[in-house]
Amino acid sequence: MSGLALNTVTKQFGSFTAVDNVQLNVPHGTFVCMLGPSGCGKTTLLRMIAGLDTPTSGAIVLDGADITATPTHKRDLGMVFQSLALFPHLTVGENIAYPLRIRGVAKETQKKRVDELLSMIHLTGYADRPVNKLSGGQRQRVAIARALAISPKLFLLDEPLSALDAKLREAMQVELRQLQQQLGITTIVVTHDQREAMTMADTVVVMNGGQIRQAASPIEIYRRPADRFVADFIGSTNLLDIEADSAGRAVVLGQAVEGVALPEGLTKATISVRPEDVHLTAPGVGALNGKVTFIRDLGGTIETFVDLSGTQVIAVSTPRERPAVNVGQAVGVKLTPDVCVVLKQ
Ligand code: ATP
């Protein structure tokens, strides 16, 4: 297979398993974001792909060649890691040309490549500037260009945008994705920012406790989370316990929900209902009945908090679809099978 394969990769630090039996295929030219809470093992996994850590067991295969024991500098990688800062005493051009210079690439070719990369990162004309005169976003673009100078097979980035302010980070996410698509380079980014992952990735890999909980497209992860952890970690959701009654019907908060089935062999599970899928109705038969406790009007969206006998559900709507309800009002929440994702607990 062309691309990267992680075959049952495990990393132990003493008796602690930081990465646990990870199996993943990253097809050539795709963009993967590894996402998960602090300590879930995403950086350790990236470091093993980079050759900065060695797996305790398992294999890393790049374009069909086993690179598990190959040193970093022979892996044909471009890396943007926080620990690999720009050289402060060199100019923008010298920084970008550095990997070419140490490989003995001819001066003229270096210059041509630097100009090409500067144009790609929208910094044409900046070659002679000292890097310490650049803004945070510009510096990060130069780090990206330096990593891409040798046209690597694999581009690895560890929290590349986390030092930037929110607006710039959002703009750079789009830029990074466009650059990756333009180059068609296989790219793996570690992030803890789910919006960043959803913006850039073909495949989002959600990790927890050293294991992959789900690897799928952003929309699949959002719409069809594999388990309760993924549903709760990606976006906001309402999680409700669901159980089978004596007749085998699925019941939520004492109310049978037509058309929703529990997973085979289980009598208890959880349903995830995204806030934008919660439809408020008049209270009555066929709905979960509750009371509006709070309305948060954020301008672009309105969040209506509903208390269902001690369980809180949040409904999100646009101003145009604003529910005609007030705080204290009795309402019904209608659950339909198409909005409920049934998850194992
Ligand atoms: P963060 O988002 O906080 O960087 P992460 O998901 O990248 O977290 P890792 O840095 O991969 O997590 O760490 C995974 C686990 O392995 C953590 O519990 C960490 O303490 C542990 N760990 C990482 N490196 C070492 C090491 N060299 N020695 C011992 N334990 C380590």
Side-chain angles (χ1 to χ4, degrees):
M1 187 197 84
S2 155
L4 178 75
L6 304 177
N7 294 333
T8 60
V9 171
T10 291
K11 178 68 184 179
Q12 285 177 309
F13 294 110
S15 61
F16 177 75
T17 305
V19 172
D20 189 3
N21 208 20
V22 161
Q23 186 73 35
L24 183 71
N25 282 331
V26 181
H28 174 79
T30 55
F31 196 131
V32 167
C33 281
M34 307 228 200
L35 185 64
S38 185
C40 71
K42 50 195 189 300
T43 297
T44 304
L45 191 55
L46 195 74
R47 286 176 57 82
M48 288 192 282
I49 299 168
L52 302 169
D53 264 329
T54 313
T56 310
S57 60
I60 299 171
V61 178
L62 183 58
D63 289 347
D66 188 328
I67 58 162
T68 319
T70 308
T72 301
H73 67 277
K74 293 198 173 149
R75 286 191 184 199
D76 209 353
L77 309 172
M79 294 195 278
V80 178
F81 281 25
Q82 270 162 14
S83 53
L84 298 172
L86 293 173
F87 304 114
H89 54 285
L90 299 185
T91 63
V92 167
E94 288 164 346
N95 262 282
I96 297 175
Y98 182 80
L100 303 172
R101 183 156 67 82
I102 58 170
R103 280 171 176 78
V105 172
K107 270 252 157 62
E108 263 316 294
T109 317
Q110 284 183 33
K111 190 179 170 323
K112 203 161 152 261
R113 182 74 181 137
V114 167
D115 288 345
E116 239 169 56
L117 287 156
L118 283 174
S119 149
M120 253 184 245
I121 59 166
H122 313 299
L123 287 179
T124 299
Y126 278 65
D128 297 327
R129 300 240 184 143
V131 287
N132 56 14
K133 294 265 154 53
L134 300 179
S135 70
Q138 290 170 334
R139 256 200 292 266
Q140 211 51 358
R141 286 198 208 124
V142 174
I144 289 168
R146 184 179 63 177
L148 294 173
I150 57 158
S151 304
K153 274 192 186 158
L154 195 58
F155 189 25
L156 306 177
L157 304 97
D158 189 2
E159 302 274 2
L161 311 177
S162 60
L164 308 177
D165 68 53
K167 272 226 161 124
L168 184 56
R169 193 162 67 226
E170 296 243 326
M172 290 281 298
Q173 289 162 6
V174 175
E175 261 188 46
L176 188 53
R177 172 57 163 167
Q178 288 172 331
L179 184 63
Q180 182 271 338
Q181 283 179 318
Q182 191 185 331
L183 298 173
I185 186 169
T186 314
T187 300
I188 303 179
V189 174
V190 160
T191 179
H192 64 272
D193 179 341
Q194 46 156 301
R195 198 175 150 86
E196 185 163 303
M198 303 275 292
T199 304
M200 302 192 300
D202 293 301
T203 302
V204 176
V205 175
V206 182
M207 291 185 67
N208 193 33
Q211 296 177 332
I212 294 183
R213 301 296 283 259
Q214 189 171 10
S217 70
I219 201 65
E220 170 118 12
I221 295 258
Y222 187 81
R223 284 276 143 219
R224 295 277 143 211
D227 58 26
R228 189 182 167 120
F229 173 82
V230 176
D232 204 18
F233 191 73
I234 303 289
S236 335
T237 198
N238 297 293
L239 295 171
L240 298 167
D241 292 335
I242 184 164
E243 53 187 18
D245 69 3
S246 55
R249 292 176 309 174
V251 172
V252 177
L253 298 169
Q255 172 87 48
V257 185
E258 291 294 326
V260 173
L262 282 142
E264 189 79 19
L266 291 184
T267 54
K268 282 181 177 211
T270 300
I271 54 169
S272 161
V273 186
R274 296 290 181 193
E276 64 273 22
D277 290 331
V278 175
H279 296 297
L280 302 181
T281 62
V285 180
L288 304 174
N289 294 315
K291 196 182 260 191
V292 177
T293 56
F294 192 76
I295 296 173
R296 193 203 315 257
D297 191 340
L298 296 167
T301 53
I302 294 145
E303 297 174 1
T304 308
F305 293 48
V306 178
D307 174 58
L308 301 169
S309 326
T311 299
Q312 180 176 274
V313 162
I314 300 178
V316 167
S317 56
T318 62
R320 223 173 294 170
E321 310 160 322
R322 185 189 188 101
V325 295
N326 297 308
V327 172
Q329 189 172 329
V331 287
V333 170
K334 197 156 173 54
L335 293 182
T336 50
D338 56 320
V339 302
C340 296
V341 180
V342 183
L343 305 165
K344 291 181 188 170
Q345 284 180 328

